[in-house]
Amino acid sequence: MNRLIDIAKNPLTIALVLIAALLFLGNTLSPGFASGGQILRLLIVAALLGIVAAGQNLVILGGREGIDLSVGGVVSLSAIVAGNVMNGMDGGIPLAILACVATGALFGLFNGLGVTLLRIPPLVMTLGMLGVLQGLLVVIRQGIPSGRAAPALSEFVTRPFLLGLPGIIWLWIGVGLLMAFILHRTVFGQRIYAIGSNEQAAFMAGVPVRRTRIALFMLSGVFAAIAGLCLLGYSGSSFANVGEQYMLPSIIAVVFGGTPLSGGKGGYTGTMAGAVLLVVLQSILTTINIDESGRQMVFGATLLVLMLFYGRGRGLRA
Amino acid sequence: MTTNASLTKQDGGGFGTLLRRFPFLPALLIFAVLLVLNGIFEPNSLSFRSLTGLVRTYMALMLLAVAQTYVVYAADIDLSVGAIASLVNVTIIVLMQHMGGGGLSVLAALGVGVLVGLACGLVNGFVVAALRLQAIVATFATSIFFTGLALVILPVAGMPAPTVFWRTYGGSFLGIPFVFYAAVALAILLYLLARTRLATQLLAVGDGQQAAFQSGLPVTAIRIGGYALCGVFAALAAFCITGDTASGDPLVGAKMTLFSVAAVVLGGSALSGGFGTVAGSVIAALIIGLINSLVFFAGTPSHWQNLVQGLAILAALMVGVLVSRRGRA
């Protein structure tokens, strides 16, 4: 019986049940909503969000109010960088990947240095960095055209690649396996949980706290950059501030995945389900025939209700 | 970390003591430097006319920063302040329009506006403090809801404000611009609020929820009070936005939310709660305004302005955090 309750309380179970319920609801409201092709389209969108959320997940797990508000800016910037480097040619893809990863890692490094060496709270540091990134976007946009995706990249994101699934889904599965490996099978992963649950104790135990935290922010930048690259493939060309829509949803996906914002607990499997849940919810709202205002109200209210299913803060006791 | 640290702790130096008593000193220093720099690049920018314009434009951000500060006092955060301001903006615009746009209708609309802000604040307080959801994500969710509500009231931007409204906000009374009366009224209001029990209790809760609870404070009610106060000030900010833009826009406040958080930090308050001043937040809002005008007056090419502003704000945030830490270490 206790085992059953544990399973029922598991964030992953909650997310999966909610996803199934929403798919059922969607299919009732508009038949064909839960068809194979439609689910595939939802998964592609979820993969983009999920890859951003992977980095967000790492930063949050690392604790000390870890959060990365700059991911949206990195996604946008990376899409532009990639578009210009490849400029519609397949041959430019390897270089574009390199350029994106470098961009993401660089801004992650800045965030990490600010948070560790200068001890600026992550929220403040990454908020400031978001402002810088948005300014940089304006500069780049005025100077150079926005660039085009290479055909192979678009195909990778939108066309079936293996077993009927597009490459980006496989990439996301790969990210999921990689995250599980990092978090549960490596020393680095152990260190993340250690500094996330008690930084002082981890430091005493010889964990290189600063280096670990800097690595987390760099990884967050890299994941956001990869998502930006894929987003370019998804939309064909980059347009103004495409990444902004990922900033807070990536945090919500993490929370819906059962990782509390206080850090030190949770993992990525739940976050993947959280990302799918968020995307399915949004997609249901677009299929229902109500106007934008009503859609937003329902979305906001539903998010609040869903949050109730997940860990609420502990009550105060004397 | 406590406001009364000076009573219990032996201080290391005069600077630290000064900072503990006046956490907004670094902000004031940055403000003065920026003012001088503005004067060097464009002497005209220090004219009475220009300064009036600065206050008029950034009054809304000042009020939003104040709103955010009360929530941050208690170690919470409100990512919906911008959405509340938008909602109040469209509410009063539509009400004033419906009631004919006379003086009395303006007053009635403003009254309703304050109530709307208060209601939004209570909703936030309820979901964060009573339902115990995580403040960042919960207030983001309510911000989506409030934005939806604003879109119901006014689906597209553009309905104009009655002439009497923006004429008053932009005009003068006895030779002194209206915004300065508003600024003085704000100063008095903030001074009085700082002496209330709620302000002290918010800081106590921010300093340690468990300790505050164990010493008998109604923590949940206090946090809800903080959000309610925040909602009211967001409504006041909406009045200034309306006076400044003279029209309704269901998305007008969205961009200001993150600036309000930046202003709170820049003003020397700790996001971890329990320490800070509203005066610092007000000064910090003006700092952001001065940075923007300095970047303009320094002759930065137009498409570089955003980047330079972003870098300057990031630098100011870093300096603010680093310096104010010395006061609390």
Side-chain angles (χ1 to χ4, degrees):
Chain A
M1 191 59 201
N2 274 339
R3 238 184 100 79
L4 268 180
I5 290 174
D6 275 353
I7 291 174
K9 272 184 153 177
N10 185 333
L12 184 60
T13 323
I14 300 175
L16 290 177
V17 168
L18 286 172
I19 292 169
L22 282 178
L23 282 177
F24 180 75
L25 179 71
N27 208 36
T28 320
L29 290 170
S30 108
F33 180 81
S35 70
Q38 180 62 16
I39 287 180
L40 211 57
R41 269 190 290 279
L42 290 181
L43 280 179
I44 292 174
V45 179
L48 291 167
L49 174 61
I51 292 171
V52 181
Q56 190 72 262
N57 203 169
L58 287 173
V59 171
I60 290 175
L61 276 176
R64 217 178 74 192
E65 290 152 18
I67 200 161
D68 190 348
L69 295 185
S70 69
V71 284
V74 174
V75 169
S76 302
L77 184 65
S78 156
I80 293 199
V81 168
N84 279 287
V85 171
M86 63 180 71
N87 208 8
M89 282 173 300
D90 288 348
I93 292 181
L95 196 62
I97 295 176
L98 215 63
C100 284
V101 170
T103 309
L106 182 70
F107 282 94
L109 177 66
F110 289 149
N111 282 331
L113 288 177
V115 167
T116 53
L117 291 187
L118 302 179
R119 293 192 296 145
I120 313 276
L123 185 87
V124 180
M125 185 65 209
T126 57
L127 172 64
M129 194 55 77
L130 177 66
V132 173
L133 282 162
Q134 280 170 344
L136 202 56
L137 283 172
V138 176
V139 174
I140 293 180
R141 235 167 253 297
Q142 300 279 337
I144 51 175
S146 72
R148 281 174 302 127
L153 180 68
S154 299
E155 226 160 83
F156 173 80
V157 176
T158 51
R159 293 277 152 72
F161 164 68
L162 188 68
L163 300 177
L165 298 178
I168 187 169
I169 308 274
W170 291 106
L171 176 69
W172 193 26
I173 294 171
V175 168
L177 293 175
L178 179 73
M179 287 285 286
F181 177 75
I182 289 178
L183 288 176
H184 305 300
R185 291 277 179 276
T186 63
V187 177
F188 179 62
Q190 302 292 313
R191 285 174 174 169
I192 297 173
Y193 284 104
I195 66 171
S197 41
N198 190 336
E199 184 176 304
Q200 198 66 32
F203 180 73
M204 297 293 194
V207 174
V209 175
R210 282 184 174 173
R211 243 191 308 145
T212 309
R213 203 179 295 287
I214 292 175
L216 291 181
F217 277 97
M218 288 177 74
L219 281 171
S220 175
V222 170
F223 277 121
I226 292 172
L229 182 77
C230 296
L231 188 61
L232 176 73
Y234 184 68
S235 55
S237 64
S238 64
F239 47 93
N241 265 338
V242 278
E244 208 174 341
Q245 50 180 330
Y246 291 103
M247 181 174 89
L248 289 162
S250 70
I251 299 168
I252 293 202
V254 172
V255 170
F256 279 179
T259 303
L261 292 183
S262 47
K265 260 191 323 209
Y268 185 61
T269 330
T271 302
M272 292 175 87
V276 175
L277 174 60
L278 210 53
V279 169
V280 171
L281 178 61
Q282 267 171 323
S283 146
I284 282 197
L285 291 175
T286 43
T287 53
I288 306 175
N289 193 18
I290 43 175
D291 44 347
E292 180 60 22
S293 52
R295 197 173 296 149
Q296 294 233 16
M297 288 169 69
V298 176
F299 186 48
T302 315
L303 287 182
L304 283 173
V305 173
L306 290 183
M307 280 171 203
L308 286 174
F309 285 98
Y310 295 94
R312 296 201 286 142
R314 235 182 311 154
L316 291 164
R317 299 247 159 78
Chain B
M1 297 285 274
T2 50
T3 40
N4 59 2
S6 51
L7 301 176
T8 53
K9 217 183 275 177
Q10 292 294 316
D11 55 274
F15 186 58
T17 322
L18 217 58
L19 268 182
R20 265 198 293 281
R21 256 187 83 50
F22 307 106
F24 53 84
L25 273 185
L28 204 57
L29 200 67
I30 298 178
F31 177 74
V33 170
L34 282 170
L35 212 54
V36 171
L37 284 177
N38 262 291
I40 292 172
F41 279 106
E42 177 56 64
N44 221 349
S45 71
L46 296 187
S47 69
F48 185 65
R49 217 184 130 91
S50 306
L51 291 178
T52 308
L54 181 80
V55 174
R56 189 181 296 148
T57 312
Y58 286 93
M59 190 61 132
L61 186 57
M62 283 190 236
L63 286 161
L64 277 187
V66 168
Q68 190 71 260
T69 311
Y70 287 119
V71 185
V72 169
Y73 269 4
D76 286 317
I77 197 163
D78 186 349
L79 294 188
S80 74
V81 282
I84 298 177
S86 306
L87 177 58
V88 174
N89 165 256
V90 295
T91 307
I92 62 173
I93 283 280
V94 169
L95 274 180
M96 290 190 286
Q97 194 69 248
H98 273 283
M99 294 190 297
L104 213 58
S105 73
V106 169
L107 287 182
L110 295 187
V112 174
V114 169
L115 290 180
V116 169
L118 179 66
C120 292
L122 288 174
V123 169
N124 281 330
F126 177 74
V127 296
V128 173
L131 296 182
R132 302 197 300 272
L133 298 179
Q134 308 184 67
I136 292 182
V137 282
T139 55
F140 172 58
T142 58
S143 84
I144 298 177
F145 184 81
F146 297 151
T147 306
L149 216 51
L151 285 167
V152 172
I153 294 170
L154 188 68
V156 283
M159 188 183 276
T163 319
V164 56
F165 189 82
W166 56 266
R167 276 259 172 87
T168 310
Y169 185 75
S172 301
F173 184 65
L174 296 177
I176 300 171
F178 174 80
V179 281
F180 285 118
Y181 291 106
V184 170
L186 174 66
I188 295 172
L189 180 63
L190 293 184
Y191 177 75
L192 293 178
L193 276 173
R195 304 173 70 86
T196 57
R197 206 181 320 170
L198 181 60
T200 316
Q201 287 176 334
L202 282 168
L203 285 165
V205 168
D207 201 37
Q209 246 186 58
Q210 188 65 29
F213 183 75
Q214 278 168 343
S215 54
L217 290 180
V219 171
T220 306
I222 291 169
R223 289 172 75 195
I224 294 178
Y227 275 103
L229 207 50
C230 173
V232 170
F233 273 94
L236 297 181
F239 299 165
C240 297
I241 294 174
T242 315
D244 200 37
T245 63
S247 68
D249 178 353
L251 303 172
V252 67
K255 276 169 291 177
M256 299 176 80
T257 301
L258 292 178
F259 278 117
S260 76
V261 178
V264 169
V265 177
L266 207 52
S269 301
L271 281 183
S272 48
F275 180 87
T277 59
V278 281
S281 306
V282 170
I283 298 170
L286 284 172
I287 289 179
I288 293 176
L290 282 178
I291 287 178
N292 291 350
S293 75
L294 179 62
V295 169
F296 177 74
F297 288 132
T300 318
S302 66
H303 58 274
W304 284 85
Q305 283 178 9
N306 280 318
L307 177 61
V308 179
Q309 280 162 13
L311 284 169
I313 290 175
L314 178 62
L317 281 174
M318 286 176 162
V319 172
V321 169
L322 288 177
V323 176
S324 63
R325 180 175 300 128
R326 290 197 50 186
R328 290 180 280 132

